Amino acid sequence: MEKLKIGVLLSGGGTNLQAIIDQVAEGLPVEIVKVISSRPDAYGIERAKAAGIPVRALNREVYADREAADALIVEEMQAAGAEYVVMAGYMRMVTPVMLRAFPDRVVNLHPALLPSFKGAHGISDAFAAGVKVTGVTVHFANEEYDKGPIIAQEPVRIAEDDTLESLEAKIHSVEHELYPRVLRLLAERRVVVTEERTVRILPQG
Amino acid sequence: MEKLKIGVLLSGGGTNLQAIIDQVAEGLPVEIVKVISSRPDAYGIERAKAAGIPVRALNREVYADREAADALIVEEMQAAGAEYVVMAGYMRMVTPVMLRAFPDRVVNLHPALLPSFKGAHGISDAFAAGVKVTGVTVHFANEEYDKGPIIAQEPVRIAEDDTLESLEAKIHSVEHELYPRVLRLLAERRVVVTEERTVRILPQG
């Protein structure tokens, strides 16, 4: 199978990037052609370098004009041959500039079961609300944030003895399993966005 | 264990009532002391009669004054000795009259994972939205509808080959398992509403 070429956007530790790198080493048919960090001190940059992935670190000044920042990112991603842009702990909003350049090809991960608990605090909001089931969502980004077509979801139970910290650990563990699984579906060209703006996963093969 | 005395409110077929009746026959420590139907032609009335449960059917006229209707229901439920009021396919809103008479003792079932897909069409709304995981929620009713403390939730995956009909069947099947499970927790006096308006389930015994 031809490898899926992806660019990864991150802002922090890059644990989801690492999960993908690890799965690539195990045979996931994905090539990470570029990593771009919104922060020059993100530890994810080291992970990319250690894996031999071309990496570019941006800084606050670049984001003073958000659309110009996205135009720069689009240019770098396209130059590297990325087919999909994968957000992995990227703490910036993407603008229509990026969404138009990669229509239904910007992938985001949300640490809750959308449409519940949108926004920047999906895990702690769910914990505080007292729900008994939360989870992880992988979806295409669109201009209404956290509202793009859902590719995959995985439920996570909140147990009586869970703390916010233990719930975060559970959620991150599911993220690290789910994100590579979705990338495999994309590599297999099995992910289709319907006219109703929902996602169908085609049968294997 | 002393049996938990419950009154059941319904408006239709009463399949959740039947699931509870069946579990009572299997030893669930619950006594259904009263069934009240908001419609005189609800098939759930026959199920109650067949199980020897006192039943009262109301009609539209009674609900012309919703608070008066709830006052009547409260009176009947209290006279029958109900400790909890269990909504099982009850298509009427409950008013503060009932909530004040049974504070944190009116139990409702919602066919989605709250806070997602509130309202009267939880299953079809989730299906149309293209989520990959939905589920069932049992919660205490409060004055903000579908916003009371969550007692239990169970996830349900939406498969690629699910239709709305097959999803409805899955959801109802989970309802019939979850509702008796929650009644058992209530009978065991293990359900506590915290100051933060979330539910803690106490350890067994």
Side-chain angles (χ1 to χ4, degrees):
Chain A
M1 186 189 313
E2 209 177 334
K3 287 185 182 176
L4 183 81
K5 292 181 176 175
I6 67 169
V8 173
L9 294 175
L10 56 79
S11 303
T15 56
N16 273 301
L17 171 66
Q18 190 65 55
I20 299 166
I21 290 170
D22 293 347
Q23 287 299 307
V24 168
E26 298 287 326
L28 180 71
V30 164
E31 181 182 354
I32 307 170
V33 295
K34 188 92 184 185
V35 168
I36 297 179
S37 169
S38 69
R39 294 176 49 168
D41 59 345
Y43 185 67
I45 294 169
E46 305 309 315
R47 297 185 193 270
K49 285 182 179 166
I53 302 164
V55 59
R56 167 80 182 261
L58 305 180
N59 56 36
R60 302 176 78 107
E61 288 70 50
V62 174
Y63 287 93
D65 180 339
R66 288 169 48 207
E67 302 221 321
D70 271 4
L72 174 66
I73 293 169
V74 164
E75 198 186 317
E76 296 241 355
M77 290 297 189
Q78 287 176 338
E83 300 167 81
Y84 283 84
V85 174
V86 173
M87 299 166 75
Y90 183 63
M91 303 307 284
R92 297 277 181 176
M93 301 280 283
V94 298
T95 71
V97 168
M98 186 157 0
L99 297 170
R100 280 196 294 264
F102 290 93
D104 291 338
R105 287 172 173 259
V106 178
V107 185
N108 193 22
L109 183 146
H110 186 77
L113 289 179
L114 293 175
S116 284
F117 307 114
K118 298 186 173 79
H121 308 286
I123 305 176
S124 54
D125 287 350
F127 190 75
V131 296
K132 304 302 185 184
V133 174
T134 181
V136 176
T137 301
V138 178
H139 65 100
F140 289 117
N142 73 356
E143 303 189 19
E144 280 188 275
Y145 218 64
D146 293 342
K147 278 204 156 179
I150 291 171
I151 307 168
Q153 293 183 300
E154 195 65 37
V156 173
R157 288 176 196 275
I158 303 182
E160 283 302 314
D161 60 356
D162 265 321
T163 60
L164 177 57
E165 291 66 35
S166 68
L167 178 62
E168 285 171 341
K170 280 187 192 178
I171 294 278
H172 293 320
S173 162
V174 169
E175 289 175 5
H176 300 161
E177 186 274 326
L178 185 62
Y179 226 172
R181 182 144 52 94
V182 166
L183 293 178
R184 181 177 296 275
L185 294 173
L186 291 169
E188 295 170 345
R189 314 291 162 178
R190 293 170 57 196
V191 178
V192 175
V193 178
T194 69
E195 282 182 27
E196 293 80 24
R197 308 294 300 152
T198 62
V199 168
R200 284 204 67 80
I201 307 298
L202 302 179
Q204 202 152 14
Chain B
M1 190 190 309
E2 209 176 335
K3 288 185 180 175
L4 184 80
K5 293 182 176 175
I6 68 168
V8 173
L9 293 175
L10 55 78
S11 304
T15 57
N16 273 301
L17 170 66
Q18 190 65 55
I20 298 167
I21 289 170
D22 292 348
Q23 286 300 307
V24 168
E26 298 288 326
L28 180 69
V30 165
E31 181 183 356
I32 307 171
V33 295
K34 188 93 186 184
V35 169
I36 297 179
S37 169
S38 68
R39 296 176 48 171
D41 60 344
Y43 184 66
I45 294 169
E46 305 310 315
R47 297 185 192 269
K49 285 181 180 167
I53 301 163
V55 60
R56 167 82 182 260
L58 306 179
N59 55 37
R60 300 177 79 105
E61 287 70 52
V62 173
Y63 287 93
D65 180 339
R66 288 168 48 206
E67 301 222 322
D70 271 5
L72 174 67
I73 293 169
V74 164
E75 198 186 317
E76 296 241 356
M77 291 296 188
Q78 287 176 337
E83 300 167 81
Y84 284 83
V85 173
V86 173
M87 299 167 76
Y90 183 63
M91 303 307 283
R92 297 278 180 175
M93 301 279 285
V94 298
T95 69
V97 168
M98 188 157 359
L99 297 170
R100 280 195 294 263
F102 289 94
D104 291 338
R105 287 172 175 258
V106 178
V107 184
N108 192 22
L109 183 146
H110 186 78
L113 288 179
L114 293 175
S116 284
F117 307 114
K118 297 186 174 80
H121 308 287
I123 304 176
S124 55
D125 287 351
F127 190 75
V131 296
K132 303 301 185 185
V133 174
T134 181
V136 176
T137 301
V138 178
H139 65 99
F140 290 116
N142 73 357
E143 304 190 20
E144 281 189 275
Y145 219 64
D146 293 343
K147 277 204 155 178
I150 291 172
I151 306 168
Q153 293 183 302
E154 194 65 34
V156 172
R157 289 176 195 275
I158 302 182
E160 283 303 313
D161 60 357
D162 265 321
T163 59
L164 177 56
E165 291 66 34
S166 69
L167 178 61
E168 285 170 340
K170 280 187 193 177
I171 294 278
H172 293 319
S173 161
V174 169
E175 290 175 4
H176 299 162
E177 186 274 324
L178 185 62
Y179 226 173
R181 182 144 51 95
V182 166
L183 293 178
R184 182 178 295 276
L185 294 173
L186 290 170
E188 293 170 347
R189 315 291 162 176
R190 293 170 57 197
V191 178
V192 175
V193 179
T194 68
E195 280 182 28
E196 294 80 23
R197 308 295 300 155
T198 63
V199 168
R200 284 203 68 80
I201 307 297
L202 303 179
Q204 203 153 12

